[in-house]
Amino acid sequence: MGSYAYKYCMCFTRKFRSPDAQPPPDVRAAHLSYCGPSSDPQQGHGHGLRRFLSQVQAESPADVDRILAILAPTSASHGIARLVNRSPAPAPPTLDDFFGFLFSPDLNPPITNQVHQDMSAPFSHYFIFTGHNSYLTGNQLNSDSSDIPIIKSLQRGVRVIELDMWPNSSKNNVDILHGGTLTAPVEMIRCLKSIKEYAFCASNYPLVITLEDHLTADLQAKVAEMLTETFGDLLFIPSSDPMKEFPSPEALMERIIISTKPPQEYKEFLKAKDNQNGNGNLADLPDQGSLRRIDSNADESDGKDELDEQDEEDSDEDDPKFQQETACEYRKLITIQAGKPKGHLRDALKVDPDKVRRLSLSETQIAKATASHGAEVIRFTQKNILRVYPKGTRVNSSNYDPMNAWIHGAQMVAFNMQGHDKALRLMQGFFRANGGCGYVKKPDFLLTTGPNGEVFDPKASLPVKTTLKVKVYMGDGWRMDFSKTHFDAFSPPDFYTRVGIAGVKADSVMKKTRVLEDQWVPVWDEEFTFPLTVPELALLRIEVQEYDMSEKHDFGGQTVLPVWELKQGIRAVALHDRKGVRYKSVRLLMRFDFV
């Protein structure tokens, strides 16, 4: 028995031995071609890498110089630094150095980490990283309200924070909570102080605070005082009311801007409410029930009379006495004015040449609106801002597919940042674009209008614009970031990779590599082809799974990358956990080409 146990232990140890990562054939061929004996030694070690970066990786001359400068040795040459040694030497750079450079996500990433888009256009020309109920720590019904999720969102680059303002129990101060639910409140001033501290920790571009206003006029004045005293010069105060055009992100660097419904319009809403209550006509009023308030625009909406979300004015409080002098201080701080749609959807979507505004629709409403008034939605978003938010039945803080809203130009597609699902991973991947600054310029086809007023038609049958070829070479890093028994108690993992496109319906697809058994460093060397009709909004989904014959497959990492930002050539792709946090070591070596 002892002998048997000894042999089993020896087998166990042998099976878990982790081989070093070896360069795949394409890397070996590239090294031989650009850094091998045939390269000119008189040009210096950096010449071969320079040609490789230019010809294979398609880097611009400026980026080639930047990369070589990063890699240039400052003292004794070691490792990858030998690749760019500027003095002639008889020995070419080693294959290990070349491979080490290619397989480094920091040195050779798949997308740029720099802001590179034009940031001088009006706000309405950008998609903006937007949070929903930003203060909630968990579900939408009974979780705590806190400044901690707000801080986490700002650290992740979110640029629109939502606060639901309600009178506290004493009616003399302002709390933040999800009204009509059992969520515990947090003081507004605490949220504002945390926002000030972390507003620009991940991006210097403007931060928008959307205020869901359920306050009396005296508390609105108190909020105005809190905002001005807390933010000081950071707070942007518009010079005109209303604005004819939104300012640009570039013009408001490191400024905080407020978006909510002006108090005067709130007075008009109350007056209309009184009239309708007197007539017994409640068709256009928000739901008055407690838990039904979670989504005042429930699924039974017919899409004709589109109501703004409960985050505008549908308070269950007694009607406040309107006080013009106190409301003025509050109103003058509002840069992005929200308006409640009245009557039919086509009226709500009318573009006012003398005024820009924000309109909010639920995910259910935007689906119906785009189905019946798609062109009007796009025209509206060319000048105005459209905010889309999750339907109220998502009490577990899940999210929805953002693609329909994006392809119709909606700028603020609001997500529950605590809902770690596939949809949120798509959102995180989308806003890795443009250096992760939280603002992504909308494609030209969503901003242009034809001579007869025609706009982009997402329903049309579109031709293939480009074809993306993706080659999955290999992966590594699990042996460093995971325990030896994390995936399987008795043998190395059996990894496979899923690769696909999230985008318009015609482009969306998922494919996968074969399963490689017992490999900590799997080498698939498989290529996939993706024809794209709308590459400007396509996202590349990458996910590694560990195959399990009897149970659910184990998660091995994921990332989502904006296709329009992908760099050509052989690239190191860092993987993230389910929440979008980057692993320390786990990465894939891939190749991207557009044909």
Side-chain angles (χ1 to χ4, degrees):
M1 186 67 182
S3 175
Y4 177 81
Y6 176 78
K7 289 181 179 178
Y8 182 81
C9 181
M10 290 294 289
C11 177
F12 185 91
T13 303
R14 179 183 61 80
K15 289 281 280 182
F16 271 111
R17 187 172 299 149
S18 299
D20 290 332
Q22 299 296 319
D26 281 7
V27 172
R28 294 178 182 273
H31 174 263
L32 182 63
S33 176
Y34 291 91
C35 305
S38 60
S39 60
D40 186 356
Q42 298 303 315
Q43 296 287 340
H45 287 167
H47 179 66
L49 183 57
R50 179 179 290 275
R51 289 195 301 118
F52 172 80
L53 291 172
S54 177
Q55 297 175 11
V56 177
Q57 307 292 84
E59 300 281 9
S60 67
D63 282 337
V64 170
D65 291 338
R66 178 181 56 81
I67 294 169
L68 294 181
I70 292 173
L71 299 177
T74 56
S75 56
S77 295
H78 294 288
I80 190 62
R82 290 201 303 270
L83 283 171
V84 290
N85 190 331
R86 300 190 184 281
S87 60
T94 68
L95 175 61
D96 285 345
D97 286 343
F98 186 69
F99 180 45
F101 162 70
L102 289 179
F103 213 179
S104 168
D106 294 322
L107 297 176
N108 186 38
I111 62 174
T112 182
N113 61 0
Q114 303 293 320
V115 176
H116 58 88
Q117 295 180 333
D118 174 20
M119 302 300 286
S120 62
F123 259 62
S124 56
H125 290 205
Y126 299 86
F127 299 114
I128 310 172
F129 201 179
T130 302
H132 174 255
N133 289 352
S134 304
Y135 49 87
L136 288 181
T137 58
N139 67 57
Q140 305 287 308
L141 284 179
N142 59 4
S143 64
D144 290 336
S145 301
S146 170
D147 61 328
I148 299 301
I150 296 174
I151 293 171
K152 290 181 178 178
S153 293
L154 294 172
Q155 290 173 332
R156 298 294 294 271
V158 171
R159 293 290 83 197
V160 182
I161 295 295
E162 180 187 15
L163 301 178
D164 295 12
M165 305 186 302
W166 291 84
N168 66 357
S169 57
S170 301
K171 313 296 183 185
N172 62 358
N173 214 326
V174 182
D175 279 344
I176 303 299
L177 74 155
H178 194 194
T181 69
L182 301 177
T183 53
V186 60
E187 289 184 344
M188 182 173 185
I189 189 63
R190 179 175 175 179
C191 295
L192 296 182
K193 288 180 178 179
S194 293
I195 289 173
K196 180 182 180 181
E197 182 176 356
Y198 292 92
F200 305 106
C201 64
S203 171
N204 291 327
Y205 286 92
L207 176 70
V208 180
I209 302 177
T210 62
L211 299 176
E212 176 182 323
D213 185 357
H214 303 275
L215 303 177
T216 55
D218 59 322
L219 289 181
Q220 289 176 347
K222 191 176 186 71
V223 168
E225 183 180 356
M226 277 193 268
L227 292 173
T228 53
E229 289 185 358
T230 303
F231 297 135
D233 292 340
L234 294 176
L235 186 63
F236 175 74
I237 300 176
S239 57
S240 63
D241 180 15
M243 303 181 91
K244 288 190 175 183
E245 183 179 71
F246 289 118
S248 70
E250 184 176 78
L252 296 182
M253 293 279 283
E254 296 193 356
R255 301 297 293 274
I256 294 173
I257 63 180
I258 303 301
S259 176
T260 188
K261 191 170 180 85
Q264 180 61 40
E265 294 186 32
Y266 183 73
K267 177 186 177 184
E268 294 171 357
F269 165 76
L270 293 173
K271 189 180 298 183
K273 178 181 176 183
D274 287 339
N275 293 336
Q276 289 172 321
N277 283 339
N279 297 333
N281 181 7
L282 301 178
D284 293 330
L285 289 180
D287 295 320
Q288 297 298 316
S290 57
L291 291 184
R292 287 199 57 167
R293 283 206 60 266
I294 302 166
D295 185 6
S296 61
N297 307 288
D299 290 354
E300 63 266 24
S301 170
D302 61 5
K304 294 181 180 179
D305 293 309
E306 299 296 343
L307 302 178
D308 220 351
E309 175 193 22
Q310 80 278 1
D311 70 334
E312 308 294 20
E313 302 79 28
D314 44 324
S315 172
D316 291 324
E317 299 297 314
D318 294 334
D319 293 353
K321 294 180 179 179
F322 183 75
Q323 301 174 25
Q324 184 68 40
E325 64 275 10
T326 57
C328 280
E329 293 302 310
Y330 179 69
R331 181 190 178 99
K332 75 177 185 180
L333 304 181
I334 303 172
T335 299
I336 303 176
Q337 295 188 6
K340 189 176 183 61
K342 300 174 183 178
H344 292 280
L345 177 63
R346 68 176 66 92
D347 297 321
L349 293 172
K350 283 183 178 178
V351 177
D352 188 336
D354 298 320
K355 178 182 179 180
V356 290
R357 58 193 171 92
R358 190 200 86 199
L359 175 67
S360 289
L361 299 176
S362 72
E363 62 173 288
T364 305
Q365 291 174 314
I366 190 65
K368 294 177 180 178
T370 54
S372 59
H373 299 79
E376 287 90 339
V377 172
I378 292 177
R379 290 190 192 98
F380 179 85
T381 60
Q382 289 178 346
K383 182 177 181 181
N384 300 281
I385 289 177
L386 178 59
R387 175 176 171 269
V388 180
Y389 59 94
K391 60 185 179 182
T393 53
R394 295 187 181 274
V395 294
N396 62 347
S397 294
S398 62
N399 290 297
Y400 52 98
D401 186 348
M403 193 54 60
N404 182 56
W406 282 334
I407 204 166
H408 285 87
Q411 296 89 345
M412 296 183 179
V413 181
F415 263 37
N416 296 311
M417 295 300 160
Q418 66 274 47
H420 300 295
D421 49 19
K422 169 191 166 184
L424 183 57
R425 292 196 284 270
L426 295 181
M427 181 68 66
Q428 291 168 343
F430 188 93
F431 285 101
R432 290 190 176 107
N434 200 25
C437 73
Y439 288 79
V440 174
K441 189 79 156 53
K442 292 201 282 187
D444 289 342
F445 63 76
L446 288 176
L447 299 172
T448 54
T449 303
N452 298 316
E454 63 271 20
V455 293
F456 175 71
D457 183 5
K459 298 177 184 177
S461 180
L462 303 172
V464 172
K465 281 188 179 180
T466 188
T467 296
L468 172 64
K469 294 175 68 176
V470 177
K471 193 165 188 177
V472 185
Y473 290 116
M474 60 186 297
D476 196 9
W478 296 280
R479 55 196 174 130
M480 285 78 87
D481 291 353
F482 293 85
S483 70
K484 291 183 177 180
T485 57
H486 178 85
F487 297 104
D488 196 306
F490 304 107
S491 66
D494 308 324
F495 287 127
Y496 68 93
T497 297
R498 300 178 71 235
V499 183
I501 298 294
V504 298
K505 186 176 181 180
D507 296 347
S508 299
V509 66
M510 287 299 291
K511 303 178 181 180
K512 64 180 181 180
T513 67
R514 67 190 185 281
V515 177
L516 293 180
E517 296 183 356
D518 299 335
Q519 296 291 329
W520 280 106
V521 186
V523 180
W524 296 283
D525 208 26
E526 295 185 42
E527 187 171 78
F528 304 96
T529 300
F530 301 102
L532 302 173
T533 61
V534 188
E536 297 91 343
L537 293 177
L539 298 169
L540 180 66
R541 292 182 56 203
I542 303 167
E543 187 176 286
V544 175
Q545 297 277 356
E546 198 273 335
Y547 179 80
D548 194 314
M549 185 179 298
S550 58
E551 300 177 3
K552 184 179 179 180
H553 298 182
D554 292 320
F555 178 80
Q558 62 83 26
T559 195
V560 176
L561 300 171
V563 166
W564 65 94
E565 296 249 332
L566 286 176
K567 292 187 171 187
Q568 180 177 306
I570 302 171
R571 301 288 174 175
V573 178
L575 296 187
H576 304 73
D577 65 15
R578 285 187 174 91
K579 295 182 178 181
V581 179
R582 177 175 159 176
Y583 288 123
K584 182 179 179 180
S585 308
V586 179
R587 64 206 188 276
L588 298 177
L589 188 67
M590 306 179 72
R591 179 164 184 158
F592 308 111
D593 290 293
F594 291 94
V595 295

